[in-house]
Amino acid sequence: MGKVTGFMEFERQEEGYKPVPERLKHYKEFVIGLDDGQSKVQAARCMDCGTPFCNSGCPVNNIIPDFNDLVYQGDWKNAITVLHSTNNFPEFTGRICPAPCEAACTLNVNDDPVGIKSIEHAIIDRAWAEGWVAPQPARHKTGKSVAVVGSGPAGLAAAQQLARAGHDVTVFEKNDRVGGLLRYGIPDFKMEKTHIDRRVAQMEAEGVVFRTGVLVGAMPAGSKVTNDAKETISADELKAQFDAVLLTGGSEQSRDLPVPGRELEGIHFAMEFLPQQNKVNAGDKLKKQLRADGKHVIVIGGGDTGSDCVGTSNRHGALSVTQFEVMPQPPEQENKPLVWPYWPLKLRTSSSHEEGCSREFAISTKAFIGEKGKVTGLQTVHVEMKDGKLVEIAGTEKEYKADLVLLAMGFVNPVASVLEAFNVDKDARGNARATTEFTGGYATNVEKVFAAGDMRRGQSLVVWAIREGRQAARAVDEFLMGFSDLPR
C-alpha cells in the first residue's frame, strides 16, 4: 500500500472533457485523461482493503489494489502486466465501462470512490505509448482449430486467449470490419476505432485469422441488423472444418415499440442510426445516410444507447433533442448504506446529455402521428408505478413534435438465425442455453459448439463480454486438450 493515509488526504479527481462547442464539431474522443502525477495521487487514495470489494465488483476481477499501488510507486510497466492478467482490452473498458468497481469501492461507503477507471485508462494509454503492448504468440501449436463467430469483445477476448494457448483460431464477422458492436454500436467520440485496429494487428501477429464479410447461417428477411456479408458459410461447414466452434455474436435484435403509427417514415432503431455515422467516419460513402440535421429528434430509451443517439444527433446539428424514459426519475444520490457494494440506481447524466438534451421521465408513447406518410410527432402520457405495474396518469396526455424518432429501448436477443443454424437450444429470452459451470461451462446442447457473451447472457456490458470470452476460451481449451492452463 503506497500511502496509508492517502484516502484521508486526497480527494477524487475526475477526468476532464474538452469544451462542448469544440467537441460537437467532430467525432473524436474528447476525454482529458489524468497525467502521471494525477494518477499517482488518485492511486494513493486506494485503502488496500482487507476485503477489496472492487475486485468482485469488476466482472473480469481486475486486481485493482495491486495496480493502484504500482501506479503510486511509478512502476507502470508492472501495472500493465497486472492489468493484462485479467483484462485483454483495458483500453476498451477504460473508456466505456460504467465502472461497477467504483460503486463497490470501500471508500464509496461514505466518500467518493477511488477513480479506478481513470487509472486503468492511464495505465493502458501509457503502455501503448511506451511500446509495452506486444504480440504474445504461442510457443507451441496444438494442431487444434477453433472457429469464433462474432468479433465483438467476447469473440476477440476468446480468440486471443485460444491463440495464445496454441490453437489455430479463425474469427468470422458478418460486417466489413472487425469489432462487432464495439465497431458499429459505440460512437467514435466515446471510443475511436483505432483502439480496435491495433488490437487486431496484435492478434494477427499472434496467429488469429480474421474473415470479415462472412455470414454464418442466413440473415432473416427484412432484418435491420447491420450486415455487410458478401459470402455465407453454413453451420455444418464450420463444424466439419473446425474442432470447436464458439458463438459470440452480439444481442442485436432491437426492442420495438408496436404502437399506432409505427409504420411512418422517420422512425428508426438506434442501430440503424449509429452504425451509419461510424461507417462515414471510417471513410465509407453512403447514398442515403440517416441524419438528424435540422430536425426535432425524440430518442425513446434512457440508457447508454439512447445517450449515444443524443450525442450523435447533436453533432449532426439537430434543432432539438429530447430523450424519453418510461421509468420514474431516479434519485440524484443513492442510499449508500442500503445498496453498497452493489450497482446503485441513481440519476446518471452523460457527457452527451451535457451537450444539449431535454430529458423526460415516467413518460410513455401511445402513438406516432404524421402527415403524408412521415412522422411529425408523438402522443404521450405520463405513467406511475402502482402494485408493480406502470399505469397511465389521467390528464397528462401531451403531443411532442418530432421529425426523427430513434428507438433505443435495448435489445431482446441475438439474431435467432445463427442459433437455429446450429440447432442450439435457446432459453426463455431467446439466448443460447449454456451454463457457466466450471466443468463443461459455455457448452451448448450441440457437440463441440459453445456460446458466450451477449449470445449466451443477453444484452450486457463490454466488461461482461470480455469476462465470458475469457472463461469460454478456457472451457474450449479444456474440451480440446483435456485440461487448460488458461485463467478463468
Side-chain angles (χ1 to χ4, degrees):
M1 185 174 181
K3 190 169 180 58
V4 176
T5 57
F7 71 96
M8 296 188 291
E9 296 177 32
F10 307 120
E11 296 182 355
R12 175 184 172 94
Q13 181 171 354
E14 301 280 355
E15 293 180 315
Y17 294 148
K18 294 180 180 178
V20 171
E22 176 184 337
R23 68 192 198 224
L24 284 180
K25 296 177 181 178
H26 58 76
Y27 294 89
K28 300 292 185 181
E29 293 178 11
F30 53 82
V31 172
I32 303 171
L34 303 185
D35 61 27
D36 290 2
Q38 293 168 330
S39 298
K40 178 177 180 177
V41 169
Q42 193 58 215
R45 299 184 69 235
C46 180
M47 300 169 69
D48 196 18
C49 314
T51 303
F53 289 93
C54 56
N55 285 14
S56 56
C58 171
V60 293
N61 303 125
N62 277 337
I63 312 170
I64 294 165
D66 291 43
F67 69 63
N68 280 343
D69 182 60
L70 289 165
V71 167
Y72 179 78
Q73 301 295 343
D75 191 351
W76 291 84
K77 194 168 186 178
N78 274 323
I80 187 57
T81 300
V82 170
L83 182 50
H84 267 153
S85 71
T86 56
N87 186 351
N88 295 68
F89 314 118
E91 65 269 46
F92 301 165
T93 52
R95 285 169 167 80
I96 59 176
C97 182
C101 56
E102 294 186 11
C105 175
T106 300
L107 193 54
N108 193 44
V109 171
N110 62 352
D111 199 350
D112 293 326
V114 175
I116 300 167
K117 179 180 173 180
S118 61
I119 296 171
E120 178 178 343
H121 186 178
I123 292 171
I124 184 58
D125 281 8
R126 173 75 176 268
W128 278 110
E130 296 283 355
W132 297 333
V133 183
Q136 301 177 37
R139 294 182 179 180
H140 306 284
K141 302 295 286 186
T142 64
K144 302 291 186 179
S145 61
V146 183
V148 177
V149 181
S151 68
L156 291 176
Q160 186 165 65
Q161 293 294 95
L162 288 165
R164 290 176 176 177
H167 304 304
D168 293 320
V169 182
T170 303
V171 178
F172 294 86
E173 170 58 52
K174 69 181 183 303
N175 289 315
D176 57 352
R177 297 178 178 90
V178 173
L181 291 175
L182 277 173
R183 173 78 64 176
Y184 288 129
I186 296 172
D188 290 0
F189 56 81
K190 291 285 185 68
M191 190 188 82
E192 293 177 24
K193 303 310 178 266
T194 52
H195 304 299
I196 302 174
D197 296 337
R198 60 186 179 185
R199 280 296 181 181
V200 169
Q202 179 197 32
M203 292 172 66
E204 287 177 331
E206 294 172 346
V208 178
V209 175
F210 291 94
R211 292 184 58 185
T212 56
V214 180
L215 177 65
V216 176
M219 189 64 66
S223 174
K224 300 293 187 182
V225 172
T226 306
N227 175 23
D228 303 314
K230 293 180 173 58
E231 61 176 298
T232 60
I233 187 170
S234 70
D236 289 340
E237 287 178 287
L238 279 191
K239 288 189 290 183
Q241 294 175 19
F242 294 88
D243 297 308
V245 178
L246 175 59
L247 307 178
T248 62
S251 185
E252 297 181 272
Q253 198 65 50
S254 300
R255 181 174 284 106
D256 207 344
L257 186 59
V259 299
R262 174 63 179 88
E263 74 286 350
L264 291 168
E265 182 182 339
I267 304 170
H268 300 271
F269 291 119
M271 286 305 295
E272 295 177 75
F273 179 67
L274 296 173
Q276 289 190 3
Q277 186 57 57
N278 285 6
K279 285 177 174 289
V280 170
N281 294 346
D284 292 355
K285 303 294 183 183
L286 302 185
K287 292 182 179 179
K288 292 184 178 180
Q289 184 190 356
L290 182 59
R291 293 189 58 88
D293 313 60
K295 296 178 181 178
H296 296 284
V297 180
I298 300 288
V299 178
I300 301 180
D304 291 338
T305 303
S307 173
D308 293 342
C309 290
V310 170
T312 302
S313 296
N314 280 326
R315 281 161 179 76
H316 282 182
L319 282 180
S320 67
V321 183
T322 305
Q323 187 176 22
F324 287 176
E325 169 55 58
V326 71
M327 299 301 293
Q329 180 173 328
E332 293 190 9
Q333 180 63 52
E334 74 271 30
N335 185 338
K336 290 185 177 183
L338 179 66
V339 300
W340 179 88
Y342 301 109
W343 185 248
L345 175 67
K346 67 176 182 179
L347 181 65
R348 303 177 191 277
T349 300
S350 73
S351 58
S352 292
H353 294 139
E354 294 170 352
E355 292 166 0
C357 174
S358 297
R359 304 171 74 182
E360 295 288 343
F361 292 89
I363 190 169
S364 176
T365 301
K366 298 194 68 174
F368 299 109
I369 53 179
E371 296 178 1
K372 299 179 180 180
K374 295 184 178 181
V375 68
T376 59
L378 295 82
Q379 294 177 346
T380 68
V381 64
H382 279 280
V383 294
E384 62 181 348
M385 190 71 71
K386 284 188 177 180
D387 299 324
K389 295 182 179 179
L390 290 172
V391 297
E392 296 182 3
I393 302 175
T396 61
E397 294 81 3
K398 184 177 178 180
E399 286 191 7
Y400 284 82
K401 181 176 177 57
D403 307 303
L404 175 64
V405 179
L406 299 172
L407 305 180
M409 302 176 295
F411 304 89
V412 292
N413 50 252
V415 178
S417 59
V418 178
L419 300 179
E420 292 166 356
F422 285 92
N423 293 315
V424 169
D425 287 346
K426 293 181 282 188
D427 63 18
R429 297 183 298 159
N431 304 316
R433 187 185 298 278
T435 69
T436 58
E437 298 297 327
F438 193 89
T439 301
Y442 296 93
T444 70
N445 61 296
V446 181
E447 177 67 17
K448 75 179 186 181
V449 177
F450 298 75
D454 286 6
M455 185 72 76
R456 190 201 70 82
R457 67 177 285 120
Q459 176 191 0
S460 193
L461 303 174
V462 166
V463 68
W464 271 107
I466 294 173
R467 171 198 173 113
E468 295 230 338
R470 288 173 60 89
Q471 291 190 345
R474 179 187 170 93
V476 172
D477 186 39
E478 192 171 38
F479 167 76
L480 294 174
M481 307 302 294
F483 69 96
S484 180
D485 291 328
L486 290 175
R488 192 175 190 275

